[in-house]
Amino acid sequence: MHEFSVARSLLHSASRICREQGFVRPVEVTVQIGPLSGVESLLLQSAFEQQAAVHAAVPARLVIEQTPLVIRCLDCETESNLPDYDFRCRACDSRAVRVIGGDQLLLVSVTAEGDDDRPEGAP
Ligand SMILES: [Zn+2]
């Protein structure tokens, strides 16, 4: 399952980023997924939760932001957000378009827990 390896590499990246920044573990990971990334967000969510459960030291939460499909027209240079898979320039109706957004999966942020583990309210 593709989403499973994506989830695993997201967790690895998040953990590495945390270590590099001196934090203990990631508590929340935010990714952006475009409709053409080939990643199904529901599957990724459950794959991520499974991975997080297996690695008990990483109780990370995954936040998925859907990014729009964006094309640029090769005729008039207009950039359009596509609500569907109708690959046509919204300005001039040309079909000579290039996808410039919506085909990637991006790790956009990692929220980490510090190594300061004093209980809250302690003096
Ligand atoms: Zn156009």
Side-chain angles (χ1 to χ4, degrees), residues 20-43:
E20 286 171 4
Q21 305 293 323
F23 292 105
V24 174
R25 60 190 178 186
V27 289
E28 189 175 282
V29 175
T30 304
V31 293
Q32 288 183 341
I33 299 180
L36 294 183
S37 63
V39 174
E40 174 58 54
S41 37
L42 282 179
L43 289 178

Side-chain angles (χ1 to χ4, degrees), residues 72-78 80 88-97:
R72 178 183 289 134
C73 177
L74 299 179
D75 290 327
C76 74
E77 305 270 301
T78 302
S80 319
R88 237 184 331 198
C89 174
R90 291 301 187 257
C92 72
D93 223 31
S94 169
R95 287 193 172 274
V97 296

